[in-house]
Amino acid sequence: MSMQIVTANRLTDGIVVYFTSQDTWEHRVSSAHVSHDDESQQSTLTRALASVANNVVLDPYLIDVTIEGTTITPVRLGERIRANGPSFSTLKIIETEKSHSRLAHIGTLSGRKSDNDAQLALLNAI
C-alpha cells in the first residue's frame, strides 16, 4: 500500500499547501498528514475537500510519498518540484522588472531610445 498526502493550492496567493493532521493547510510538505491505507486516504481527502467549499484552497488531491527518517518526499518529479518551490528566483524577476521600468523611464526622459535599448540589453545579459 502506498503512502499518500493531500496537496492543493491556496486561493489567496496560489502557494502550494499540504493538509495536516489538524485539518489545516501548511506550505511545508513536512507538515503533511501521511495516510497509509485506502480508508485513511479517502477520509483525509474528504476532510480536505471541505476547504474548497470554504474558499481556502483549490482542487485538493492525493499524491504518493515516501518517508525516509522524518523526511516526506513526493514520489513524482512534478510534485517534488512543487514541494521545493519555484525553480526560478521570483526576487530576481521582480528586481529585473523594476530595473526595466526604471530604464524605460530614463530612456523616455532622455529621448534617446538607442541608449535605452543598450541599457536593457545589458540588464538582460546579467
Side-chain angles (χ1 to χ4, degrees):
M1 177 56 47
S2 66
M3 295 177 283
Q4 293 187 320
I5 62 174
V6 177
T7 185
N9 289 88
R10 195 166 45 205
L11 280 178
T12 56
D13 55 13
I15 296 294
V16 175
V17 289
Y18 300 93
F19 199 65
T20 71
S21 299
Q22 292 78 35
D23 291 359
T24 59
W25 294 94
E26 288 286 332
H27 69 277
R28 294 179 314 269
V29 71
S30 61
S31 299
H33 169 73
V34 180
S35 299
H36 297 271
D37 59 64
D38 287 338
E39 185 177 328
S40 175
Q41 291 162 358
Q42 290 309 310
S43 172
T44 302
L45 182 58
T46 299
R47 291 192 326 271
L49 287 168
S51 298
V52 174
N54 294 328
N55 293 319
V56 176
V57 297
L58 176 67
D59 196 26
Y61 59 95
L62 292 162
I63 63 170
D64 292 327
V65 296
T66 59
I67 299 178
E68 293 183 31
T70 59
T71 303
I72 300 171
T73 304
V75 171
R76 296 187 62 215
L77 176 61
E79 294 299 336
R80 286 195 304 269
I81 292 170
R82 285 181 81 237
N84 291 319
S87 56
F88 58 89
S89 170
T90 54
L91 182 59
K92 181 67 174 171
I93 289 172
I94 291 167
E95 289 173 354
T96 300
E97 287 175 353
K98 286 180 181 178
S99 295
H100 278 277
S101 177
R102 281 195 302 271
L103 289 175
H105 181 68
I106 291 167
T108 302
L109 291 176
S110 70
R112 296 184 293 191
K113 186 171 178 4
S114 60
D115 288 346
N116 186 42
D117 289 341
Q119 290 171 337
L120 288 173
L122 178 61
L123 183 62
N124 284 328
I126 295 175

